[in-house]
């Protein structure tokens, strides 16, 4: 069966097309204010990548914050269930998946068949998500990639106590005013987000193997700080962390029983 | 449901939606209280209407000028309602020693209340013979304060009658819970919440009479649609957002058990006759009831919750944590561990007195439904 999984995230739309369990096409596009149009465009790009006709797709499942927007979806699945299924497919030894997206981070525990058994979400503030790192990089006037890599060259331990992304930005401004090196500020920001995500993850009681996916999995500064915070070296990062939930949705679309 | 029963349910829904309209027709002075530890019997015995104040759905106006915004949002809302004059229809308010935030609200209101009636019950945390004696004395002082302030008399006969009325109400509510638990009364989460929450808002005699009629005349309708109809329990201290329960309905999660301060915990346990007197009897009931997280004895609470879940076939527990409530934050890991030991899945959802992040709430509830249900 050919199925499509569409992850309508708060920043990007990701599509995975599966033929059985084989990925035959995928696409990613930044969302716009016309979400339906953006979904349509991303799906068409994935169809082109898969070299199939759109009509060849038998089932479509949507997930993510905008999962209810696309009217053609056969199934609408939360990103908790889709993410859990997707990361389990990437490595079936994974029992705790940590999805750190643009606006939300979540911990998803799965059992030995990939079914979600527990989950937690950051609820107080965006200080535990990708957009927080982006706004801190902006405050320093550095692009995201360079900002993430800078953290790796610092050994400084500067605590950031802010409970909220807005207050954290004030702390960064104070550090700039004190002529704190950029690499140390970057490290402080990544330590701070790693600490917040770790606290949230501990609420579901960590069980190895642990995996990180979502946009922040590409950020070496975060991954390094996160490993140190949890004191765990073996953290699995899938090849394409952004597509995990879309993959899970595409798989669930095939596995969903009719009726 | 037969017509009469539907009419009663509609009436309950209307009152829940606009309680202020209902309260305008109460022809007695109204005394407000905030926590379940203030005995309504003593207020009723003074021929006054005891009204449990709920968090309203309005944004905070001046409450944050007296308490930091990172304090318990429910407490800030209560203070806001008091300071902004929304509760000026009350003849007074009674606080009890509940949590640190509410203690702060009580102190601030004492300084800002003008001449309106104010009383604070220094409520003990644990139930021992000494603490029962202590609370009994304090309740007597409360009765004297009401009598002096309002120039009225609270007789033993009036307290006895108030106890009888409250006990009768508790029995009716507990019967309602029992029927829902056994699946003999099918009701949506939002209607369940509306009916139970009115027990501490409406006149007790009128409420009991309506609830008893509703129960007597109830007949299940075979085509009643509850979506995927996954039975869950809702636990926590204060959850008063109708939007939360309506979202549960939307997702197909049906509350069959609750463990909320003004839910089942407010009604379990009757006041029995005591040789030592009426105040002793009231003190004993309130100190021995299933406690909130701020009062300790989590074992009793978890045992009750587990039993209720088992009897009702509940598939999971939603634990609602009021943001910045330290007691609930501290309690959750223990409650979760104990429920998981009993193979009962649990999810913690954090929020304020009103739901601000509706998308996230919907996702979390849907994810829980996917986790415990048969949807995927």
């Amino acid at each position: 069966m050919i199925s499509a999984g569409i992850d309508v995230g708060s920043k990007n739309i990701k599509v995975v097309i599966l033929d059985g369990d084989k990925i035959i096409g995928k696409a990613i596009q930044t969302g716009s204010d016309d979400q339906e149009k953006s979904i349509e465009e991303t799906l068409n790009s994935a169809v082109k990548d898969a070299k199939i006709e759109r009509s060849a797709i038998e089932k479509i499942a949507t997930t993510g914050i905008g999962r209810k927007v696309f009217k053609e979806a056969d199934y609408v699945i939360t990103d908790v269930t889709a993410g859990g299924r997707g990361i389990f497919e990437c490595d079936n030894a994974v029992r705790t998946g940590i999805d750190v997206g643009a606006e939300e981070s979540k911990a998803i525990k799965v059992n030995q068949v990939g079914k979600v058994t527990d989950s937690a979400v950051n609820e107080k503030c965006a200080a535990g998500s990708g957009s927080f790192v982006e706004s801190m990089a902006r405050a320093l006037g550095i692009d995201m990639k360079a900002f993430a890599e800078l953290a790796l060259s610092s050994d400084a331990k500067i605590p950031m106590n802010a409970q909220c992304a807005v207050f954290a930005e004030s702390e960064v401004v104070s550090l700039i005013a004190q002529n704190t090196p950029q690499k140390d500020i970057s490290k402080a920001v990544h330590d701070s987000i790693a600490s917040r995500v770790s606290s949230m993850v501990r609420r579901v009681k960590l069980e190895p193997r642990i995996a990180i996916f979502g946009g922040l999995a590409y950020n070496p500064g975060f991954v390094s700080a996160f490993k140190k915070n949890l004191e765990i070296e073996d953290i699995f990062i899938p090849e394409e962390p952004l597509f995990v939930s879309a993959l899970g949705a595409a798989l669930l679309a095939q596995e969903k029983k009719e009726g | 449901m037969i017509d009469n029963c539907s009419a009663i349910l509609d009436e309950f829904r209307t009152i829940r939606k606009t309680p202020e309209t209902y309260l305008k027709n109460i022809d007695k002075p109204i005394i407000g209280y905030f926590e379940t530890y203030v005995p309504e019997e003593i207020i009723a015995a003074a021929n006054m209407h005891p009204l449990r104040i709920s968090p309203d759905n309005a944004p905070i106006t001046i409450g944050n000028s007296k308490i930091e915004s990172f304090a318990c949002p429910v407490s800030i809302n209560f203070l806001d309602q008091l300071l902004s004059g929304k509760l000026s229809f009350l003849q007074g308010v009674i606080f009890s020693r509940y949590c640190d935030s509410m203690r702060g609200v009580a102190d601030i209101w004492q300084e800002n209340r003008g001449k309106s009636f104010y009383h604070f019950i220094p409520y003990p945390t644990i139930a021992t013979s000494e603490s029962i004696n202590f609370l009994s004395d304090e309740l007597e002082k409360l009765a004297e304060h009401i009598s002096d302030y309002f120039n009225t008399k609270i007789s033993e006969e009036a307290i006895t009658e108030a106890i009888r009325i409250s006990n009768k109400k508790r029995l009716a509510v507990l019967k309602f819970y029992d029927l829902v638990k056994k699946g003999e009364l099918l009701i949506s989460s939002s209607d369940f919440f509306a009916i139970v929450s009115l027990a501490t808002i409406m006149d007790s005699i009128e409420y009991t009479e309506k609830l008893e009629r509703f129960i007597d005349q109830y007949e299940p309708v075979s085509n009643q649609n509850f979506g995927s109809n996954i039975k869950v329990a809702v636990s926590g201290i204060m959850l008063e957002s109708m939007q939360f329960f309506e979202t549960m309905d939307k997702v197909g999660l049906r509350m069959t058990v609750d463990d909320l301060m003004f839910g089942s915990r407010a009604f379990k346990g009757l006041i029995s006759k005591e040789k030592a007197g009426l105040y002793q009897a009231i003190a004993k009931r309130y100190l021995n009831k299933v406690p909130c997280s701020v009062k300790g004895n989590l074992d009793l609470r978890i045992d009750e919750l587990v039993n209720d879940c088992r009897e009702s076939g509940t598939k999971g527990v939603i634990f609602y944590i009021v943001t910045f409530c330290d007691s609930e934050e501290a309690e959750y890991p223990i409650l979760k561990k104990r429920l998981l030991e009993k193979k009962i899945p649990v999810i913690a959802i954090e929020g304020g007195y009103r739901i601000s992040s509706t998308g996230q709430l919907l996702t979390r509830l849907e994810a829980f439904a996917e986790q415990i249900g048969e949807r995927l």
Side-chain angles (χ1 to χ4, degrees), chain A residues 65 67-68 76-81 104 115-124 203-204 252 256, chain B residues 321 323-324 329 332 336 340 346-350 359-360 362-364 366-367 370-373 375-376:
Chain A
I65 187 85
R67 63 191 176 277
K68 299 198 176 174
V76 177
I77 302 161
T78 64
D79 27 354
V80 172
T81 305
E104 202 174 67
K115 187 170 163 54
V116 174
T117 57
D118 200 359
S119 63
V121 176
N122 72 313
E123 283 170 294
K124 280 196 181 79
R203 289 177 80 161
V204 299
L252 288 164
K256 179 90 171 85
Chain B
I321 301 175
T323 311
F324 304 121
E329 291 270 9
Y332 176 64
K336 181 177 179 180
L340 290 179
V346 56
I347 188 174
I349 293 182
E350 196 176 300
Q360 193 179 62
L362 184 67
T363 300
R364 302 229 56 213
E366 279 188 349
E370 287 169 357
Q371 180 188 330
I372 63 174
R375 291 173 56 180
L376 287 166

Side-chain angles (χ1 to χ4, degrees), chain B residues 260-303:
Chain B
L260 296 166
M261 176 163 72
F262 283 107
S264 67
R265 292 210 299 272
F267 306 103
K268 285 178 179 173
L270 303 181
I271 297 176
S272 311
K273 276 187 183 167
E274 288 286 325
K275 277 184 190 165
L278 292 166
Y279 293 107
Q280 280 272 337
I282 298 172
K284 207 169 181 178
R285 184 266 166 185
Y286 278 84
L287 273 172
N288 281 310
K289 75 189 190 71
V290 183
C292 284
S293 49
V294 295
K295 297 289 182 194
N297 199 354
L298 189 55
D299 287 344
L300 174 61
R301 191 174 153 202
I302 293 175
D303 288 348

Side-chain angles (χ1 to χ4, degrees), chain B residues 194-375:
Chain B
I195 289 175
V196 172
S197 67
L198 287 174
T200 40
I201 292 174
M202 290 175 66
D203 172 76
S204 291
I205 296 172
E206 184 189 355
Y207 174 82
T208 307
E209 183 269 325
K210 279 191 169 41
L211 182 60
E212 284 176 341
R213 266 199 299 131
F214 176 78
I215 290 169
D216 288 345
Q217 296 178 7
Y218 176 83
E219 279 175 19
V221 175
S222 56
N223 63 355
Q224 209 162 356
N225 183 11
F226 289 109
S228 54
N229 195 15
I230 302 164
K231 292 180 188 176
V232 290
V234 179
S235 176
I237 292 182
M238 184 77 79
L239 176 55
E240 293 281 325
S241 164
M242 182 56 93
Q243 202 182 353
F244 187 96
F245 295 100
E246 285 170 351
T247 309
M248 284 179 68
D249 292 343
K250 208 168 160 183
V251 170
L253 293 171
R254 189 160 63 85
M255 177 167 72
T256 49
V257 168
D258 86 45
D259 165 50
L260 296 166
M261 176 163 72
F262 283 107
S264 67
R265 292 210 299 272
F267 306 103
K268 285 178 179 173
L270 303 181
I271 297 176
S272 311
K273 276 187 183 167
E274 288 286 325
K275 277 184 190 165
L278 292 166
Y279 293 107
Q280 280 272 337
I282 298 172
K284 207 169 181 178
R285 184 266 166 185
Y286 278 84
L287 273 172
N288 281 310
K289 75 189 190 71
V290 183
C292 284
S293 49
V294 295
K295 297 289 182 194
N297 199 354
L298 189 55
D299 287 344
L300 174 61
R301 191 174 153 202
I302 293 175
D303 288 348
E304 287 278 332
L305 179 58
V306 168
N307 283 341
D308 284 346
C309 286
R310 281 192 171 152
E311 284 175 27
S312 62
T314 294
K315 299 190 91 176
V317 173
I318 299 167
F319 187 73
Y320 189 79
I321 301 175
V322 174
T323 311
F324 304 121
C325 176
D326 296 340
S327 304
E328 285 186 289
E329 291 270 9
E331 184 185 69
Y332 176 64
I334 306 167
L335 184 120
K336 181 177 179 180
K337 183 171 176 278
R338 298 276 296 277
L339 288 172
L340 290 179
E341 281 168 3
K342 307 284 181 193
K343 310 273 183 229
I344 301 171
V346 56
I347 188 174
I349 293 182
E350 196 176 300
Y353 62 94
R354 61 183 184 145
I355 305 301
S356 50
S357 183
T358 49
Q360 193 179 62
L361 174 68
L362 184 67
T363 300
R364 302 229 56 213
L365 291 177
E366 279 188 349
F368 193 53
E370 287 169 357
Q371 180 188 330
I372 63 174
E374 301 301 324
R375 291 173 56 180

